[in-house]
Amino acid sequence: MTATGVRARTRIEARADGRGGTALPVLDGDGPLAPRRTRAHGTEARVLLVGAMSGPLGGDRFSVEASAGEGARLHLGSAAATLALPGQAKGEARYDVRLDVAAGGELHWLPEQLISARGSDLHVTTRVELDSGARLLLREEQVLGRAGEEPGRLTSRLTVRLAGTTLLDQELSCGPGAPGGWDGPAVLGGHRAVGQLVLVAPELQQGAAEARMLGEGTALMPLAGPGVLVSAVAPDALALRRRLDEALALLTADRK
């Protein structure tokens, strides 16, 4: 920890173990982001990020770097929601996530919700680099404020690239000081929970999916490649998770 906040880096590498499973040759983290291996599910290695401290607070810099090699299957989650809080250090907090998946590899990034508490200022960047033939399932959920609380400032950018081509690059900024209209009908429409689900797989041929509504507050959009994006808004975290779970069940059924 420094006068400007906490610096924390977590690194996870998954590799095929040569016996039909997935090994974790690198599982390293410090401070507030401790990676813990949990029981494997078939050929899939599973890791939970366990929060050892509150945060991120103002001035903190957290980063997560995870990769899945050829033939590896990695499932990443978190043990609890991430709570962005104001801190004594000035300036915004940053939470940077970098995911890399090789051809024939598969990575699921399914953390719990990120909650933007009043007075916090957090910038989240998630960047995904996929080789051709890689698979990705990614879920992000943001909740603006705790119960009965105004939100902090939250900026979130998500970029997904496949074989050097950008499939998705979007940014959303909410809360005090964010560009006008973020809470209006064209963006959140007064809702306080927003999330997205990204599915990339070789069998999802470009143009196979059509843009459509999947239900109240939930829309599906095809990506510029073998993938789809589901975006959802909801009044609270529970409703948001339900809408994204329903969308994932539908997408999974469509692939069978």
Side-chain angles (χ1 to χ4, degrees):
M1 181 172 180
T2 70
T4 56
V6 173
R7 302 292 187 269
R9 181 189 184 200
T10 295
R11 296 174 57 239
I12 303 160
E13 291 185 13
R15 296 288 181 265
D17 64 7
R19 303 185 301 274
T22 299
L24 296 171
V26 177
L27 191 63
D28 180 66
D30 52 18
L33 296 175
R36 297 289 184 263
R37 181 165 191 166
T38 61
R39 185 186 297 269
H41 183 74
T43 62
E44 177 184 75
R46 295 197 166 197
V47 176
L48 279 181
L49 296 179
V50 179
M53 300 171 58
S54 297
L57 310 178
D60 288 352
R61 300 290 185 271
F62 294 178
S63 67
V64 175
E65 301 168 12
S67 65
E70 182 178 357
R73 299 182 65 213
L74 176 62
H75 182 289
L76 285 174
S78 59
T82 297
L83 180 61
L85 295 165
Q88 294 181 348
K90 295 183 179 180
E92 69 176 10
R94 294 194 62 93
Y95 193 152
D96 298 318
V97 178
R98 170 66 184 257
L99 309 175
D100 293 273
V101 190
E106 183 171 349
L107 192 152
H108 293 185
W109 172 245
L110 301 170
E112 295 301 311
Q113 296 93 348
L114 189 156
I115 303 171
S116 174
R118 181 178 181 179
S120 64
D121 186 358
L122 177 63
H123 191 115
V124 181
T125 300
T126 303
R127 184 177 181 87
V128 185
E129 293 285 348
L130 306 170
D131 289 344
S132 181
R135 296 173 181 270
L136 171 74
L137 174 61
L138 178 149
R139 182 187 67 216
E140 288 190 339
E141 299 167 299
Q142 289 108 27
V143 181
L144 305 181
R146 292 168 289 191
E149 178 185 63
E150 291 299 311
R153 173 71 180 270
L154 176 62
T155 300
S156 176
R157 182 167 184 176
L158 172 61
T159 304
V160 179
R161 289 165 50 87
L162 175 66
T165 298
T166 300
L167 300 184
L168 175 67
D169 191 356
Q170 67 176 21
E171 182 173 294
L172 177 64
S173 187
C174 305
W182 67 269
D183 199 24
V187 187
L188 297 187
H191 291 293
R192 283 295 178 267
V194 57
Q196 43 274 333
L197 191 71
V198 178
L199 179 64
V200 179
E203 64 268 22
L204 293 174
Q205 298 299 321
Q206 184 172 353
E210 296 183 357
R212 66 185 190 273
M213 297 299 296
L214 298 181
E216 182 181 1
T218 310
L220 180 146
M221 292 288 294
L223 298 178
V228 295
L229 166 70
V230 174
S231 298
V233 293
D236 55 46
L238 289 176
L240 178 65
R241 176 63 61 85
R242 183 170 60 250
R243 291 175 184 182
L244 291 177
D245 283 348
E246 290 172 351
L248 180 57
L250 180 62
L251 291 174
T252 303
D254 288 344
R255 294 168 64 193
K256 292 181 179 179

